[in-house]
Amino acid sequence: MEVMGTRALYPKVRTTLANKEHKKYAYLLKEFRNDKNQVIIDTPNKVWSTDITYIRLEKGSTSINMTLSHIYLTSFIYLAAIID
């Protein structure tokens, strides 16, 4: 990161709070475990995984956030991944 001139921007403490009303789903990969308790995915299209997150950027003004009496500008990009 130093070579590229980048640095990590850390989120504030407890940025994600779980909503107790949301349903929690069971672990669905139990059926793919072998005798050694390892998850084995041996063919394409058997299991899919997704993730959506955002990466905060230091400079720019793509959105306006209001918290209490403070108004500040932040920039971020969304990253979406679908894995087969």
Side-chain angles (χ1 to χ4, degrees), residues 14-50:
R14 298 193 44 93
T15 57
T16 302
L17 300 174
N19 186 338
K20 294 181 181 181
E21 295 179 10
H22 289 170
K23 181 178 179 179
K24 292 185 180 180
Y25 290 90
Y27 185 67
L28 301 176
L29 297 178
K30 290 179 189 175
E31 63 185 270
F32 300 111
R33 291 193 183 269
N34 65 6
D35 297 336
K36 296 179 183 178
N37 209 24
Q38 299 168 325
V39 176
I40 304 297
I41 312 296
D42 54 1
T43 59
N45 228 10
K46 197 174 199 180
V47 174
W48 286 67
S49 175
T50 62

PDB file of all heavy atoms in Angstrom, residues 14-50:
ATOM      1  N   ARG A  14     -18.395  -0.334  16.169  1.00  0.00           N
ATOM      2  CA  ARG A  14     -19.771  -0.818  16.047  1.00  0.00           C
ATOM      3  C   ARG A  14     -20.532  -0.142  14.914  1.00  0.00           C
ATOM      4  O   ARG A  14     -21.587   0.449  15.112  1.00  0.00           O
ATOM      5  CB  ARG A  14     -20.508  -0.691  17.367  1.00  0.00           C
ATOM      6  CG  ARG A  14     -19.875  -1.532  18.442  1.00  0.00           C
ATOM      7  CD  ARG A  14     -20.684  -1.711  19.694  1.00  0.00           C
ATOM      8  NE  ARG A  14     -22.075  -2.004  19.515  1.00  0.00           N
ATOM      9  CZ  ARG A  14     -22.608  -3.220  19.461  1.00  0.00           C
ATOM     10  NH1 ARG A  14     -21.849  -4.267  19.540  1.00  0.00           N
ATOM     11  NH2 ARG A  14     -23.901  -3.384  19.344  1.00  0.00           N
ATOM     12  N   THR A  15     -19.989  -0.270  13.702  1.00  0.00           N
ATOM     13  CA  THR A  15     -20.669   0.319  12.549  1.00  0.00           C
ATOM     14  C   THR A  15     -21.860  -0.517  12.095  1.00  0.00           C
ATOM     15  O   THR A  15     -22.729  -0.025  11.416  1.00  0.00           O
ATOM     16  CB  THR A  15     -19.689   0.475  11.369  1.00  0.00           C
ATOM     17  OG1 THR A  15     -19.143  -0.798  11.061  1.00  0.00           O
ATOM     18  CG2 THR A  15     -18.575   1.449  11.716  1.00  0.00           C
ATOM     19  N   THR A  16     -21.899  -1.783  12.476  1.00  0.00           N
ATOM     20  CA  THR A  16     -23.007  -2.647  12.097  1.00  0.00           C
ATOM     21  C   THR A  16     -23.735  -3.113  13.347  1.00  0.00           C
ATOM     22  O   THR A  16     -23.150  -3.730  14.229  1.00  0.00           O
ATOM     23  CB  THR A  16     -22.503  -3.879  11.321  1.00  0.00           C
ATOM     24  OG1 THR A  16     -21.785  -3.418  10.177  1.00  0.00           O
ATOM     25  CG2 THR A  16     -23.644  -4.754  10.883  1.00  0.00           C
ATOM     26  N   LEU A  17     -25.002  -2.809  13.421  1.00  0.00           N
ATOM     27  CA  LEU A  17     -25.839  -3.260  14.534  1.00  0.00           C
ATOM     28  C   LEU A  17     -26.922  -4.166  13.961  1.00  0.00           C
ATOM     29  O   LEU A  17     -27.661  -3.771  13.064  1.00  0.00           O
ATOM     30  CB  LEU A  17     -26.464  -2.073  15.266  1.00  0.00           C
ATOM     31  CG  LEU A  17     -25.477  -1.080  15.878  1.00  0.00           C
ATOM     32  CD1 LEU A  17     -26.216   0.120  16.445  1.00  0.00           C
ATOM     33  CD2 LEU A  17     -24.668  -1.751  16.965  1.00  0.00           C
ATOM     34  N   ALA A  18     -27.009  -5.369  14.469  1.00  0.00           N
ATOM     35  CA  ALA A  18     -27.992  -6.328  13.969  1.00  0.00           C
ATOM     36  C   ALA A  18     -29.401  -5.910  14.375  1.00  0.00           C
ATOM     37  O   ALA A  18     -29.629  -5.456  15.490  1.00  0.00           O
ATOM     38  CB  ALA A  18     -27.682  -7.719  14.512  1.00  0.00           C
ATOM     39  N   ASN A  19     -30.331  -6.074  13.468  1.00  0.00           N
ATOM     40  CA  ASN A  19     -31.736  -5.816  13.752  1.00  0.00           C
ATOM     41  C   ASN A  19     -32.343  -7.108  14.278  1.00  0.00           C
ATOM     42  O   ASN A  19     -32.332  -8.133  13.595  1.00  0.00           O
ATOM     43  CB  ASN A  19     -32.449  -5.352  12.486  1.00  0.00           C
ATOM     44  CG  ASN A  19     -33.870  -4.925  12.744  1.00  0.00           C
ATOM     45  OD1 ASN A  19     -34.482  -5.312  13.738  1.00  0.00           O
ATOM     46  ND2 ASN A  19     -34.398  -4.135  11.842  1.00  0.00           N
ATOM     47  N   LYS A  20     -32.884  -7.088  15.467  1.00  0.00           N
ATOM     48  CA  LYS A  20     -33.423  -8.301  16.085  1.00  0.00           C
ATOM     49  C   LYS A  20     -34.646  -8.835  15.349  1.00  0.00           C
ATOM     50  O   LYS A  20     -35.009  -9.990  15.516  1.00  0.00           O
ATOM     51  CB  LYS A  20     -33.749  -8.035  17.547  1.00  0.00           C
ATOM     52  CG  LYS A  20     -32.508  -7.766  18.362  1.00  0.00           C
ATOM     53  CD  LYS A  20     -32.818  -7.532  19.814  1.00  0.00           C
ATOM     54  CE  LYS A  20     -31.531  -7.253  20.569  1.00  0.00           C
ATOM     55  NZ  LYS A  20     -31.758  -7.033  21.977  1.00  0.00           N
ATOM     56  N   GLU A  21     -35.278  -8.012  14.524  1.00  0.00           N
ATOM     57  CA  GLU A  21     -36.452  -8.457  13.778  1.00  0.00           C
ATOM     58  C   GLU A  21     -36.084  -9.252  12.524  1.00  0.00           C
ATOM     59  O   GLU A  21     -36.923  -9.927  11.954  1.00  0.00           O
ATOM     60  CB  GLU A  21     -37.309  -7.254  13.392  1.00  0.00           C
ATOM     61  CG  GLU A  21     -37.911  -6.547  14.589  1.00  0.00           C
ATOM     62  CD  GLU A  21     -38.742  -5.341  14.184  1.00  0.00           C
ATOM     63  OE1 GLU A  21     -39.007  -5.174  12.977  1.00  0.00           O
ATOM     64  OE2 GLU A  21     -39.124  -4.592  15.075  1.00  0.00           O
ATOM     65  N   HIS A  22     -34.821  -9.170  12.098  1.00  0.00           N
ATOM     66  CA  HIS A  22     -34.410  -9.908  10.907  1.00  0.00           C
ATOM     67  C   HIS A  22     -34.265 -11.394  11.215  1.00  0.00           C
ATOM     68  O   HIS A  22     -33.795 -11.779  12.272  1.00  0.00           O
ATOM     69  CB  HIS A  22     -33.079  -9.371  10.379  1.00  0.00           C
ATOM     70  CG  HIS A  22     -33.215  -8.009   9.773  1.00  0.00           C
ATOM     71  ND1 HIS A  22     -32.137  -7.258   9.420  1.00  0.00           N
ATOM     72  CD2 HIS A  22     -34.293  -7.268   9.453  1.00  0.00           C
ATOM     73  CE1 HIS A  22     -32.535  -6.108   8.917  1.00  0.00           C
ATOM     74  NE2 HIS A  22     -33.846  -6.097   8.928  1.00  0.00           N
ATOM     75  N   LYS A  23     -34.656 -12.206  10.250  1.00  0.00           N
ATOM     76  CA  LYS A  23     -34.585 -13.651  10.424  1.00  0.00           C
ATOM     77  C   LYS A  23     -33.138 -14.120  10.318  1.00  0.00           C
ATOM     78  O   LYS A  23     -32.376 -13.642   9.469  1.00  0.00           O
ATOM     79  CB  LYS A  23     -35.420 -14.335   9.342  1.00  0.00           C
ATOM     80  CG  LYS A  23     -35.430 -15.830   9.452  1.00  0.00           C
ATOM     81  CD  LYS A  23     -36.309 -16.464   8.397  1.00  0.00           C
ATOM     82  CE  LYS A  23     -36.266 -17.965   8.547  1.00  0.00           C
ATOM     83  NZ  LYS A  23     -37.104 -18.643   7.591  1.00  0.00           N
ATOM     84  N   LYS A  24     -32.745 -15.054  11.154  1.00  0.00           N
ATOM     85  CA  LYS A  24     -31.431 -15.675  11.076  1.00  0.00           C
ATOM     86  C   LYS A  24     -31.593 -17.037  10.420  1.00  0.00           C
ATOM     87  O   LYS A  24     -32.440 -17.830  10.811  1.00  0.00           O
ATOM     88  CB  LYS A  24     -30.818 -15.829  12.466  1.00  0.00           C
ATOM     89  CG  LYS A  24     -30.470 -14.504  13.089  1.00  0.00           C
ATOM     90  CD  LYS A  24     -29.753 -14.695  14.392  1.00  0.00           C
ATOM     91  CE  LYS A  24     -29.424 -13.368  15.007  1.00  0.00           C
ATOM     92  NZ  LYS A  24     -28.730 -13.493  16.270  1.00  0.00           N
ATOM     93  N   TYR A  25     -30.774 -17.306   9.426  1.00  0.00           N
ATOM     94  CA  TYR A  25     -30.875 -18.536   8.664  1.00  0.00           C
ATOM     95  C   TYR A  25     -29.870 -19.564   9.159  1.00  0.00           C
ATOM     96  O   TYR A  25     -28.789 -19.230   9.626  1.00  0.00           O
ATOM     97  CB  TYR A  25     -30.642 -18.264   7.176  1.00  0.00           C
ATOM     98  CG  TYR A  25     -31.776 -17.487   6.554  1.00  0.00           C
ATOM     99  CD1 TYR A  25     -31.759 -16.099   6.522  1.00  0.00           C
ATOM    100  CD2 TYR A  25     -32.875 -18.140   6.033  1.00  0.00           C
ATOM    101  CE1 TYR A  25     -32.802 -15.382   5.974  1.00  0.00           C
ATOM    102  CE2 TYR A  25     -33.926 -17.447   5.471  1.00  0.00           C
ATOM    103  CZ  TYR A  25     -33.882 -16.065   5.442  1.00  0.00           C
ATOM    104  OH  TYR A  25     -34.925 -15.368   4.900  1.00  0.00           O
ATOM    105  N   ALA A  26     -30.224 -20.804   9.023  1.00  0.00           N
ATOM    106  CA  ALA A  26     -29.347 -21.900   9.442  1.00  0.00           C
ATOM    107  C   ALA A  26     -28.164 -22.024   8.480  1.00  0.00           C
ATOM    108  O   ALA A  26     -28.216 -21.566   7.344  1.00  0.00           O
ATOM    109  CB  ALA A  26     -30.127 -23.206   9.473  1.00  0.00           C
ATOM    110  N   TYR A  27     -27.111 -22.661   8.935  1.00  0.00           N
ATOM    111  CA  TYR A  27     -25.932 -22.923   8.110  1.00  0.00           C
ATOM    112  C   TYR A  27     -26.308 -23.981   7.080  1.00  0.00           C
ATOM    113  O   TYR A  27     -26.642 -25.117   7.424  1.00  0.00           O
ATOM    114  CB  TYR A  27     -24.786 -23.398   8.998  1.00  0.00           C
ATOM    115  CG  TYR A  27     -23.491 -23.593   8.272  1.00  0.00           C
ATOM    116  CD1 TYR A  27     -22.809 -22.516   7.734  1.00  0.00           C
ATOM    117  CD2 TYR A  27     -22.948 -24.853   8.113  1.00  0.00           C
ATOM    118  CE1 TYR A  27     -21.614 -22.683   7.065  1.00  0.00           C
ATOM    119  CE2 TYR A  27     -21.741 -25.041   7.449  1.00  0.00           C
ATOM    120  CZ  TYR A  27     -21.090 -23.946   6.927  1.00  0.00           C
ATOM    121  OH  TYR A  27     -19.900 -24.121   6.265  1.00  0.00           O
ATOM    122  N   LEU A  28     -26.256 -23.622   5.805  1.00  0.00           N
ATOM    123  CA  LEU A  28     -26.782 -24.485   4.756  1.00  0.00           C
ATOM    124  C   LEU A  28     -25.748 -25.406   4.115  1.00  0.00           C
ATOM    125  O   LEU A  28     -26.083 -26.195   3.239  1.00  0.00           O
ATOM    126  CB  LEU A  28     -27.438 -23.626   3.672  1.00  0.00           C
ATOM    127  CG  LEU A  28     -28.598 -22.746   4.155  1.00  0.00           C
ATOM    128  CD1 LEU A  28     -29.102 -21.878   3.024  1.00  0.00           C
ATOM    129  CD2 LEU A  28     -29.711 -23.610   4.727  1.00  0.00           C
ATOM    130  N   LEU A  29     -24.486 -25.345   4.539  1.00  0.00           N
ATOM    131  CA  LEU A  29     -23.461 -26.177   3.922  1.00  0.00           C
ATOM    132  C   LEU A  29     -23.180 -27.457   4.700  1.00  0.00           C
ATOM    133  O   LEU A  29     -22.245 -28.181   4.380  1.00  0.00           O
ATOM    134  CB  LEU A  29     -22.164 -25.377   3.745  1.00  0.00           C
ATOM    135  CG  LEU A  29     -22.257 -24.181   2.810  1.00  0.00           C
ATOM    136  CD1 LEU A  29     -20.936 -23.445   2.754  1.00  0.00           C
ATOM    137  CD2 LEU A  29     -22.682 -24.613   1.423  1.00  0.00           C
ATOM    138  N   LYS A  30     -23.985 -27.767   5.687  1.00  0.00           N
ATOM    139  CA  LYS A  30     -23.779 -28.989   6.483  1.00  0.00           C
ATOM    140  C   LYS A  30     -23.804 -30.243   5.613  1.00  0.00           C
ATOM    141  O   LYS A  30     -23.034 -31.167   5.837  1.00  0.00           O
ATOM    142  CB  LYS A  30     -24.849 -29.120   7.563  1.00  0.00           C
ATOM    143  CG  LYS A  30     -24.738 -28.118   8.665  1.00  0.00           C
ATOM    144  CD  LYS A  30     -25.858 -28.328   9.670  1.00  0.00           C
ATOM    145  CE  LYS A  30     -25.898 -27.198  10.668  1.00  0.00           C
ATOM    146  NZ  LYS A  30     -27.031 -27.297  11.573  1.00  0.00           N
ATOM    147  N   GLU A  31     -24.675 -30.250   4.623  1.00  0.00           N
ATOM    148  CA  GLU A  31     -24.815 -31.447   3.780  1.00  0.00           C
ATOM    149  C   GLU A  31     -23.598 -31.694   2.883  1.00  0.00           C
ATOM    150  O   GLU A  31     -23.447 -32.772   2.332  1.00  0.00           O
ATOM    151  CB  GLU A  31     -26.060 -31.328   2.911  1.00  0.00           C
ATOM    152  CG  GLU A  31     -26.014 -30.167   1.929  1.00  0.00           C
ATOM    153  CD  GLU A  31     -27.308 -30.007   1.181  1.00  0.00           C
ATOM    154  OE1 GLU A  31     -27.442 -30.629   0.106  1.00  0.00           O
ATOM    155  OE2 GLU A  31     -28.173 -29.280   1.680  1.00  0.00           O
ATOM    156  N   PHE A  32     -22.700 -30.717   2.754  1.00  0.00           N
ATOM    157  CA  PHE A  32     -21.516 -30.856   1.913  1.00  0.00           C
ATOM    158  C   PHE A  32     -20.269 -31.230   2.706  1.00  0.00           C
ATOM    159  O   PHE A  32     -19.177 -31.250   2.167  1.00  0.00           O
ATOM    160  CB  PHE A  32     -21.257 -29.568   1.137  1.00  0.00           C
ATOM    161  CG  PHE A  32     -22.393 -29.192   0.231  1.00  0.00           C
ATOM    162  CD1 PHE A  32     -23.167 -28.076   0.509  1.00  0.00           C
ATOM    163  CD2 PHE A  32     -22.692 -29.944  -0.884  1.00  0.00           C
ATOM    164  CE1 PHE A  32     -24.207 -27.719  -0.314  1.00  0.00           C
ATOM    165  CE2 PHE A  32     -23.730 -29.598  -1.721  1.00  0.00           C
ATOM    166  CZ  PHE A  32     -24.499 -28.483  -1.436  1.00  0.00           C
ATOM    167  N   ARG A  33     -20.411 -31.536   3.989  1.00  0.00           N
ATOM    168  CA  ARG A  33     -19.247 -31.881   4.818  1.00  0.00           C
ATOM    169  C   ARG A  33     -18.850 -33.338   4.615  1.00  0.00           C
ATOM    170  O   ARG A  33     -19.687 -34.211   4.452  1.00  0.00           O
ATOM    171  CB  ARG A  33     -19.554 -31.645   6.290  1.00  0.00           C
ATOM    172  CG  ARG A  33     -19.686 -30.177   6.638  1.00  0.00           C
ATOM    173  CD  ARG A  33     -19.661 -30.000   8.141  1.00  0.00           C
ATOM    174  NE  ARG A  33     -19.857 -28.623   8.512  1.00  0.00           N
ATOM    175  CZ  ARG A  33     -18.861 -27.759   8.678  1.00  0.00           C
ATOM    176  NH1 ARG A  33     -17.622 -28.138   8.508  1.00  0.00           N
ATOM    177  NH2 ARG A  33     -19.118 -26.525   9.039  1.00  0.00           N
ATOM    178  N   ASN A  34     -17.521 -33.591   4.693  1.00  0.00           N
ATOM    179  CA  ASN A  34     -17.023 -34.964   4.599  1.00  0.00           C
ATOM    180  C   ASN A  34     -16.727 -35.499   6.001  1.00  0.00           C
ATOM    181  O   ASN A  34     -17.086 -34.878   7.005  1.00  0.00           O
ATOM    182  CB  ASN A  34     -15.783 -35.033   3.696  1.00  0.00           C
ATOM    183  CG  ASN A  34     -14.599 -34.269   4.256  1.00  0.00           C
ATOM    184  OD1 ASN A  34     -14.627 -33.757   5.376  1.00  0.00           O
ATOM    185  ND2 ASN A  34     -13.551 -34.189   3.470  1.00  0.00           N
ATOM    186  N   ASP A  35     -16.063 -36.641   6.092  1.00  0.00           N
ATOM    187  CA  ASP A  35     -15.766 -37.273   7.376  1.00  0.00           C
ATOM    188  C   ASP A  35     -14.827 -36.438   8.250  1.00  0.00           C
ATOM    189  O   ASP A  35     -14.831 -36.543   9.467  1.00  0.00           O
ATOM    190  CB  ASP A  35     -15.148 -38.657   7.171  1.00  0.00           C
ATOM    191  CG  ASP A  35     -16.117 -39.596   6.462  1.00  0.00           C
ATOM    192  OD1 ASP A  35     -17.339 -39.350   6.555  1.00  0.00           O
ATOM    193  OD2 ASP A  35     -15.651 -40.559   5.822  1.00  0.00           O
ATOM    194  N   LYS A  36     -14.016 -35.588   7.609  1.00  0.00           N
ATOM    195  CA  LYS A  36     -13.069 -34.749   8.352  1.00  0.00           C
ATOM    196  C   LYS A  36     -13.649 -33.376   8.676  1.00  0.00           C
ATOM    197  O   LYS A  36     -12.932 -32.465   9.046  1.00  0.00           O
ATOM    198  CB  LYS A  36     -11.783 -34.582   7.549  1.00  0.00           C
ATOM    199  CG  LYS A  36     -11.046 -35.879   7.330  1.00  0.00           C
ATOM    200  CD  LYS A  36      -9.802 -35.647   6.501  1.00  0.00           C
ATOM    201  CE  LYS A  36      -9.101 -36.965   6.225  1.00  0.00           C
ATOM    202  NZ  LYS A  36      -7.918 -36.765   5.373  1.00  0.00           N
ATOM    203  N   ASN A  37     -14.954 -33.206   8.484  1.00  0.00           N
ATOM    204  CA  ASN A  37     -15.682 -31.968   8.783  1.00  0.00           C
ATOM    205  C   ASN A  37     -15.282 -30.821   7.851  1.00  0.00           C
ATOM    206  O   ASN A  37     -15.416 -29.657   8.198  1.00  0.00           O
ATOM    207  CB  ASN A  37     -15.504 -31.570  10.247  1.00  0.00           C
ATOM    208  CG  ASN A  37     -16.706 -30.800  10.757  1.00  0.00           C
ATOM    209  OD1 ASN A  37     -17.804 -30.933  10.223  1.00  0.00           O
ATOM    210  ND2 ASN A  37     -16.502 -29.991  11.773  1.00  0.00           N
ATOM    211  N   GLN A  38     -14.788 -31.145   6.665  1.00  0.00           N
ATOM    212  CA  GLN A  38     -14.433 -30.150   5.670  1.00  0.00           C
ATOM    213  C   GLN A  38     -15.582 -30.000   4.684  1.00  0.00           C
ATOM    214  O   GLN A  38     -16.218 -30.988   4.310  1.00  0.00           O
ATOM    215  CB  GLN A  38     -13.176 -30.576   4.900  1.00  0.00           C
ATOM    216  CG  GLN A  38     -11.961 -30.747   5.772  1.00  0.00           C
ATOM    217  CD  GLN A  38     -10.839 -31.446   5.020  1.00  0.00           C
ATOM    218  OE1 GLN A  38     -11.087 -32.320   4.188  1.00  0.00           O
ATOM    219  NE2 GLN A  38      -9.611 -31.073   5.331  1.00  0.00           N
ATOM    220  N   VAL A  39     -15.844 -28.789   4.243  1.00  0.00           N
ATOM    221  CA  VAL A  39     -16.876 -28.556   3.240  1.00  0.00           C
ATOM    222  C   VAL A  39     -16.270 -28.832   1.874  1.00  0.00           C
ATOM    223  O   VAL A  39     -15.258 -28.256   1.494  1.00  0.00           O
ATOM    224  CB  VAL A  39     -17.412 -27.118   3.318  1.00  0.00           C
ATOM    225  CG1 VAL A  39     -18.406 -26.848   2.211  1.00  0.00           C
ATOM    226  CG2 VAL A  39     -18.052 -26.868   4.677  1.00  0.00           C
ATOM    227  N   ILE A  40     -16.881 -29.736   1.118  1.00  0.00           N
ATOM    228  CA  ILE A  40     -16.389 -30.141  -0.196  1.00  0.00           C
ATOM    229  C   ILE A  40     -17.375 -29.662  -1.258  1.00  0.00           C
ATOM    230  O   ILE A  40     -18.524 -30.094  -1.295  1.00  0.00           O
ATOM    231  CB  ILE A  40     -16.226 -31.675  -0.287  1.00  0.00           C
ATOM    232  CG1 ILE A  40     -15.310 -32.193   0.814  1.00  0.00           C
ATOM    233  CG2 ILE A  40     -15.734 -32.078  -1.673  1.00  0.00           C
ATOM    234  CD1 ILE A  40     -13.896 -31.695   0.751  1.00  0.00           C
ATOM    235  N   ILE A  41     -16.913 -28.767  -2.115  1.00  0.00           N
ATOM    236  CA  ILE A  41     -17.691 -28.310  -3.265  1.00  0.00           C
ATOM    237  C   ILE A  41     -16.919 -28.780  -4.490  1.00  0.00           C
ATOM    238  O   ILE A  41     -15.901 -28.212  -4.847  1.00  0.00           O
ATOM    239  CB  ILE A  41     -17.827 -26.773  -3.291  1.00  0.00           C
ATOM    240  CG1 ILE A  41     -18.256 -26.227  -1.929  1.00  0.00           C
ATOM    241  CG2 ILE A  41     -18.751 -26.331  -4.407  1.00  0.00           C
ATOM    242  CD1 ILE A  41     -19.599 -26.655  -1.461  1.00  0.00           C
ATOM    243  N   ASP A  42     -17.388 -29.824  -5.165  1.00  0.00           N
ATOM    244  CA  ASP A  42     -16.597 -30.455  -6.221  1.00  0.00           C
ATOM    245  C   ASP A  42     -17.138 -30.256  -7.633  1.00  0.00           C
ATOM    246  O   ASP A  42     -16.534 -30.700  -8.591  1.00  0.00           O
ATOM    247  CB  ASP A  42     -16.425 -31.943  -5.931  1.00  0.00           C
ATOM    248  CG  ASP A  42     -17.746 -32.648  -5.703  1.00  0.00           C
ATOM    249  OD1 ASP A  42     -18.797 -31.994  -5.782  1.00  0.00           O
ATOM    250  OD2 ASP A  42     -17.724 -33.861  -5.437  1.00  0.00           O
ATOM    251  N   THR A  43     -18.266 -29.581  -7.788  1.00  0.00           N
ATOM    252  CA  THR A  43     -18.797 -29.320  -9.122  1.00  0.00           C
ATOM    253  C   THR A  43     -19.271 -27.875  -9.210  1.00  0.00           C
ATOM    254  O   THR A  43     -19.697 -27.292  -8.215  1.00  0.00           O
ATOM    255  CB  THR A  43     -19.983 -30.252  -9.454  1.00  0.00           C
ATOM    256  OG1 THR A  43     -21.010 -30.043  -8.488  1.00  0.00           O
ATOM    257  CG2 THR A  43     -19.574 -31.702  -9.466  1.00  0.00           C
ATOM    258  N   PRO A  44     -19.221 -27.286 -10.416  1.00  0.00           N
ATOM    259  CA  PRO A  44     -19.719 -25.920 -10.588  1.00  0.00           C
ATOM    260  C   PRO A  44     -21.230 -25.852 -10.367  1.00  0.00           C
ATOM    261  O   PRO A  44     -21.936 -26.839 -10.516  1.00  0.00           O
ATOM    262  CB  PRO A  44     -19.377 -25.583 -12.038  1.00  0.00           C
ATOM    263  CG  PRO A  44     -18.402 -26.607 -12.477  1.00  0.00           C
ATOM    264  CD  PRO A  44     -18.606 -27.811 -11.619  1.00  0.00           C
ATOM    265  N   ASN A  45     -21.697 -24.693 -10.019  1.00  0.00           N
ATOM    266  CA  ASN A  45     -23.128 -24.413  -9.863  1.00  0.00           C
ATOM    267  C   ASN A  45     -23.765 -25.158  -8.689  1.00  0.00           C
ATOM    268  O   ASN A  45     -24.983 -25.274  -8.617  1.00  0.00           O
ATOM    269  CB  ASN A  45     -23.869 -24.725 -11.153  1.00  0.00           C
ATOM    270  CG  ASN A  45     -24.795 -23.609 -11.551  1.00  0.00           C
ATOM    271  OD1 ASN A  45     -24.758 -22.526 -10.977  1.00  0.00           O
ATOM    272  ND2 ASN A  45     -25.620 -23.865 -12.530  1.00  0.00           N
ATOM    273  N   LYS A  46     -22.978 -25.686  -7.796  1.00  0.00           N
ATOM    274  CA  LYS A  46     -23.493 -26.422  -6.638  1.00  0.00           C
ATOM    275  C   LYS A  46     -23.809 -25.467  -5.485  1.00  0.00           C
ATOM    276  O   LYS A  46     -24.825 -25.613  -4.816  1.00  0.00           O
ATOM    277  CB  LYS A  46     -22.449 -27.454  -6.200  1.00  0.00           C
ATOM    278  CG  LYS A  46     -22.957 -28.539  -5.311  1.00  0.00           C
ATOM    279  CD  LYS A  46     -21.842 -29.552  -5.088  1.00  0.00           C
ATOM    280  CE  LYS A  46     -22.358 -30.868  -4.599  1.00  0.00           C
ATOM    281  NZ  LYS A  46     -21.288 -31.829  -4.394  1.00  0.00           N
ATOM    282  N   VAL A  47     -22.929 -24.503  -5.268  1.00  0.00           N
ATOM    283  CA  VAL A  47     -23.080 -23.534  -4.181  1.00  0.00           C
ATOM    284  C   VAL A  47     -22.717 -22.158  -4.722  1.00  0.00           C
ATOM    285  O   VAL A  47     -21.735 -22.000  -5.440  1.00  0.00           O
ATOM    286  CB  VAL A  47     -22.150 -23.894  -3.001  1.00  0.00           C
ATOM    287  CG1 VAL A  47     -22.190 -22.817  -1.941  1.00  0.00           C
ATOM    288  CG2 VAL A  47     -22.534 -25.232  -2.408  1.00  0.00           C
ATOM    289  N   TRP A  48     -23.519 -21.169  -4.353  1.00  0.00           N
ATOM    290  CA  TRP A  48     -23.251 -19.785  -4.728  1.00  0.00           C
ATOM    291  C   TRP A  48     -23.070 -18.961  -3.468  1.00  0.00           C
ATOM    292  O   TRP A  48     -23.685 -19.237  -2.440  1.00  0.00           O
ATOM    293  CB  TRP A  48     -24.418 -19.219  -5.530  1.00  0.00           C
ATOM    294  CG  TRP A  48     -24.500 -19.738  -6.927  1.00  0.00           C
ATOM    295  CD1 TRP A  48     -24.775 -21.020  -7.301  1.00  0.00           C
ATOM    296  CD2 TRP A  48     -24.305 -19.009  -8.119  1.00  0.00           C
ATOM    297  NE1 TRP A  48     -24.771 -21.138  -8.656  1.00  0.00           N
ATOM    298  CE2 TRP A  48     -24.494 -19.907  -9.195  1.00  0.00           C
ATOM    299  CE3 TRP A  48     -24.012 -17.687  -8.392  1.00  0.00           C
ATOM    300  CZ2 TRP A  48     -24.376 -19.518 -10.520  1.00  0.00           C
ATOM    301  CZ3 TRP A  48     -23.898 -17.295  -9.718  1.00  0.00           C
ATOM    302  CH2 TRP A  48     -24.082 -18.201 -10.758  1.00  0.00           C
ATOM    303  N   SER A  49     -22.257 -17.923  -3.579  1.00  0.00           N
ATOM    304  CA  SER A  49     -22.033 -17.022  -2.458  1.00  0.00           C
ATOM    305  C   SER A  49     -22.054 -15.592  -2.982  1.00  0.00           C
ATOM    306  O   SER A  49     -21.592 -15.326  -4.087  1.00  0.00           O
ATOM    307  CB  SER A  49     -20.686 -17.326  -1.806  1.00  0.00           C
ATOM    308  OG  SER A  49     -20.420 -16.397  -0.798  1.00  0.00           O
ATOM    309  N   THR A  50     -22.596 -14.674  -2.192  1.00  0.00           N
ATOM    310  CA  THR A  50     -22.617 -13.267  -2.590  1.00  0.00           C
ATOM    311  C   THR A  50     -22.193 -12.394  -1.426  1.00  0.00           C
ATOM    312  O   THR A  50     -22.304 -12.784  -0.257  1.00  0.00           O
ATOM    313  CB  THR A  50     -24.022 -12.820  -3.034  1.00  0.00           C
ATOM    314  OG1 THR A  50     -24.916 -12.950  -1.928  1.00  0.00           O
ATOM    315  CG2 THR A  50     -24.518 -13.629  -4.201  1.00  0.00           C
TER     316      THR A  50
END
